[in-house]
Amino acid sequence: MSKFRTIEISDPRYESANLRFMTVKSEHLRGRGDICIFVPPGISASEVLPVVILLHGVYGSAWAWTHSAGVHLQVMEMIRSGEIPPMVLAMPSDGLWGDGSVYLPHNGYDFEKWIAEDVVAALSEKIAGVTEASPLFITGLSMGGFGALRIGAKNGSLFRGMSGHSSITSLEQMSLFVEEELSNYRQLSAADEHVFQTIDQHRYHLPAMRFDCGCDDALIEYNRQLHQQLEAAGIAHEYDEFPGGHEWPYWTAHIGKSLKFFAQQLRHAPKDNNNSIKP
């Protein structure tokens, strides 16, 4: 029996570039949410595929990663070259609240559970190769990096890896991008408004983690600070800086690094709960 009252999925006869689209009625959204999905071709019915959830930034929606970065074309080429194994990409909308939902619960909606629960459940119901045994990963850009690192940290038993590109690291930084008052986004616990504090709270059950930022990005100092905080706390992670700003050319150039990082996790046995902390 479906978890959802309704799920609409695109007709394969009209799909192109191995993309399909799904619209799900979610209790957490109090309405419908969209998911753009890349499914690699030539997959047998018995295969179990890894899934990468890609979260967009402010102003965006389910189409952002494909139609602003062509990520599905890049992934297809990486699969063909053997850089990564066949994997499903799930690119959900953030819930389309204001300029961005921040992937947090607020204003009577739970945008966090929409990602962590509903997106995963909808894929399992409708996408061949996605099952409860599918390894899960999560990444995102800017606001999506904030969401990916927080949701990944809070759900370490669900995700094998998490990453962020040009990530917002604290709710306060949303004021750089949105017109909505920050009071709309406030959480009961202040720790839920900060990437580091969320990660630190769940430090013994973390997925593998990486993040990067462009040297010309307005968020570079915040990402450097997060890196320093994680190092000081002894929390294992990878951090990189590259030329570039807060822009699609940067994210297009570097999303492949996260996909390769996730592929590395597939080649290793699942970590025990203490491996997120350096000795």
Side-chain angles (χ1 to χ4, degrees):
M1 181 177 178
S2 176
K3 173 183 177 181
F4 308 100
R5 182 177 180 274
T6 60
I7 298 183
E8 292 290 322
I9 191 164
S10 54
D11 189 319
R13 294 177 296 172
Y14 308 118
E15 295 170 355
S16 63
N18 301 295
L19 294 178
R20 61 193 58 177
F21 295 85
M22 186 187 301
T23 298
V24 182
K25 188 172 186 183
S26 161
E27 291 183 358
H28 297 306
L29 296 182
R30 299 193 300 171
R32 291 163 292 146
D34 290 329
I35 311 171
C36 177
I37 307 158
F38 166 82
V39 183
I43 301 301
S44 70
S46 61
E47 287 188 74
V48 176
L49 298 176
V51 176
V52 177
I53 297 176
L54 280 74
L55 303 183
H56 63 79
V58 293
Y59 325 133
S61 188
W63 57 264
W65 274 106
T66 56
H67 287 71
S68 293
V71 67
H72 57 303
L73 304 177
Q74 188 175 159
V75 169
M76 179 62 78
E77 184 56 38
M78 293 174 73
I79 292 172
R80 286 175 177 160
S81 67
E83 294 178 89
I84 61 174
M87 55 178 59
V88 170
L89 303 186
M91 295 158 278
S93 73
D94 70 325
L96 304 182
W97 188 92
D99 280 331
S101 71
V102 208
Y103 303 98
L104 285 169
H106 58 81
N107 290 286
Y109 305 89
D110 199 326
F111 302 105
E112 182 178 301
K113 288 186 177 179
W114 153 243
I115 300 299
E117 297 179 9
D118 293 345
V119 170
V120 174
L123 294 172
S124 298
E125 287 190 22
K126 292 294 185 179
I127 303 300
V130 179
T131 73
E132 292 182 356
S134 292
L136 299 177
F137 303 92
I138 188 167
T139 185
L141 65 89
S142 190
M143 178 185 76
F146 178 85
L149 294 174
R150 283 193 66 264
I151 292 170
K154 293 182 71 173
N155 296 274
S157 61
L158 182 64
F159 293 102
R160 290 272 298 274
M162 61 183 185
S163 76
H165 300 273
S166 313
S167 302
I168 287 173
T169 64
S170 172
L171 179 59
E172 303 300 325
Q173 296 153 35
M174 279 291 287
S175 63
L176 298 172
F177 303 100
V178 304
E179 67 175 2
E180 287 77 22
E181 295 292 334
L182 291 185
S183 58
N184 283 289
Y185 303 107
R186 293 298 181 192
Q187 301 295 292
L188 293 177
S189 170
D192 285 329
E193 300 175 2
H194 302 273
V195 169
F196 173 72
Q197 291 183 38
T198 301
I199 290 173
D200 194 41
Q201 282 188 336
H202 300 274
R203 58 189 290 153
Y204 296 106
H205 305 276
L206 293 174
M209 171 175 38
R210 76 167 301 275
F211 61 105
D212 61 64
C213 193
C215 296
D216 299 319
D217 197 309
L219 299 178
I220 184 64
E221 292 302 329
Y222 300 115
N223 278 259
R224 288 171 176 167
Q225 181 183 40
L226 176 60
H227 167 55
Q228 293 163 2
Q229 289 173 316
L230 292 169
E231 279 201 324
I235 297 175
H237 66 286
E238 294 183 9
Y239 173 66
D240 294 297
E241 295 181 6
F242 303 101
H246 205 80
E247 55 194 358
W248 278 109
Y250 178 88
W251 303 317
T252 302
H254 297 292
I255 181 59
K257 295 177 176 60
S258 284
L259 300 177
K260 291 179 183 179
F261 177 74
F262 296 154
Q264 290 174 3
Q265 311 315 311
L266 293 170
R267 292 193 285 269
H268 301 292
K271 302 182 300 180
D272 63 44
N273 286 341
N274 292 318
N275 280 355
S276 297
I277 306 301
K278 294 178 181 177

